[in-house]
Amino acid sequence: MSADAAAHRVFKDRLYGQFARVGKALASPHRLEVLELLAQGERTVDALATEVGISKANASQHLQALREGGLVESRKQGLFVHYRLADAAVFELCKAIRTVAERRLAELERIVRDHFGDRSDPEPVPMADLLARVRSGKVVILDTRPASEFAAGHIAGALSVPIDELKRRLARLPKTKEYVAYCRGPYCVYADRAVELIQASGRRAKRLLEGFPEWQIAGFPVERGLEHEA
């Protein structure tokens, strides 16, 4: 091997070694879930541990691995450390992994079907269709995520109706409107549960095909704060 070829080989090994750092950081179901949670907004170690169902020590180890891979950043506020995605491209990476799995892993489809059943009735609403319906004024968007996630960012004009509060707030939702519920992403159960409850009350409802992070990354209108509550 010539000196130039050897130098190029060293370069390639170092280059792909850096790419592999990202792949190594993603090689855990819990870390992928943590990244999708952080796509909703900042969280502390305690909050992530509770959400994912692991110990605080385990959550800290996963976050350290994600930090080493350049995927998350943190800031300290008082006694708490808040974590966030290091870049919008991190969520795009997670979405790409999900897309490949959906296309290539038959087991994934079976797992989703076993958990959700038939999700095609009513047919979910794609993001572009929802944008057009909102402009017509004929649809109400319901954000079924926790209020803290709504405050961190939500679809412009959406109402904050966390799924745990929906039953007692149903009477305040006009029966003449059509509702589109959304949550964290396509595999989040909140929107499905909301559609069931709203339909059972005699109202028309569908779920958004995607979730808030997909809406945001697509460049569609987003708001922050708690201005819109039903």
Side-chain angles (χ1 to χ4, degrees), residues 32-55:
L32 289 171
E33 185 176 359
V34 163
L35 291 176
E36 293 219 341
L37 287 170
L38 293 178
Q40 314 299 323
E42 288 187 338
R43 276 175 165 78
T44 63
V45 179
D46 288 343
L48 287 167
T50 299
E51 188 81 36
V52 180
I54 57 179
S55 68

Side-chain angles (χ1 to χ4, degrees), residues 8 13 23 41 56 60 63 76 98 106 116 148 167 181 191 213 225:
H8 188 65
D13 288 345
K56 182 178 176 180
S60 295
L63 286 164
K76 191 168 184 180
R98 187 176 72 208
F116 287 101
S148 60
K167 269 190 177 181

Side-chain angles (χ1 to χ4, degrees):
M1 182 182 294
S2 68
D4 286 347
H8 188 65
R9 181 69 265 158
V10 170
F11 162 71
K12 283 296 186 73
D13 288 345
R14 294 177 65 191
L15 176 70
Y16 286 103
Q18 292 302 302
F19 295 161
R21 289 179 61 188
V22 177
K24 182 180 179 181
L26 294 171
S28 161
H30 285 151
R31 289 176 210 156
L32 289 171
E33 185 176 359
V34 163
L35 291 176
E36 293 219 341
L37 287 170
L38 293 178
Q40 314 299 323
E42 288 187 338
R43 276 175 165 78
T44 63
V45 179
D46 288 343
L48 287 167
T50 299
E51 188 81 36
V52 180
I54 57 179
S55 68
K56 182 178 176 180
N58 200 351
S60 295
Q61 290 174 358
H62 285 308
L63 286 164
Q64 181 60 33
L66 291 170
R67 191 205 296 270
E68 290 174 357
L71 302 178
V72 301
E73 295 176 345
S74 63
R75 66 178 180 86
K76 191 168 184 180
Q77 183 175 350
L79 299 175
F80 298 97
V81 178
H82 297 258
Y83 286 85
R84 61 182 179 273
L85 296 186
D87 192 283
V90 175
F91 176 72
E92 292 180 322
L93 175 60
C94 293
K95 185 179 177 183
I97 291 172
R98 187 176 72 208
T99 298
V100 172
E102 289 169 343
R103 292 179 180 177
R104 304 303 305 166
L105 302 179
E107 179 69 7
L108 175 61
E109 182 181 355
R110 186 187 68 78
I111 291 170
V112 174
R113 186 173 60 251
D114 287 349
H115 185 72
F116 287 101
D118 183 8
R119 306 176 83 195
S120 61
D121 187 19
E123 185 177 355
V125 180
M127 293 189 297
D129 288 359
L130 177 58
L131 190 62
R133 293 189 193 191
V134 170
R135 288 171 175 167
S136 73
K138 295 180 180 179
V139 69
V140 177
I141 308 174
L142 300 182
D143 187 316
T144 61
R145 302 173 300 158
S148 60
E149 295 179 15
F150 180 88
H154 56 268
I155 293 176
L159 298 178
S160 176
V161 187
I163 189 62
D164 293 340
E165 302 176 14
L166 179 56
K167 269 190 177 181
R168 68 176 178 81
R169 294 167 64 178
L170 266 175
R172 295 159 61 182
L173 301 178
K175 285 196 172 184
T176 57
K177 294 287 188 178
E178 179 184 359
Y179 296 89
V180 175
Y182 74 90
C183 51
R184 293 168 173 168
Y187 302 120
C188 175
V189 300
Y190 298 156
D192 291 76
R193 291 174 181 169
V195 169
E196 290 176 6
L197 287 170
I198 295 169
Q199 287 184 326
S201 72
R203 295 165 174 84
R204 293 171 296 153
K206 294 183 177 181
R207 68 178 176 87
L208 183 64
L209 183 60
E210 300 88 354
F212 173 70
E214 289 85 359
W215 178 276
Q216 180 172 238
I217 210 73
F220 292 143
V222 168
E223 294 176 336
R224 288 175 173 78
L226 289 170
E227 291 86 356
H228 302 287
E229 295 188 16

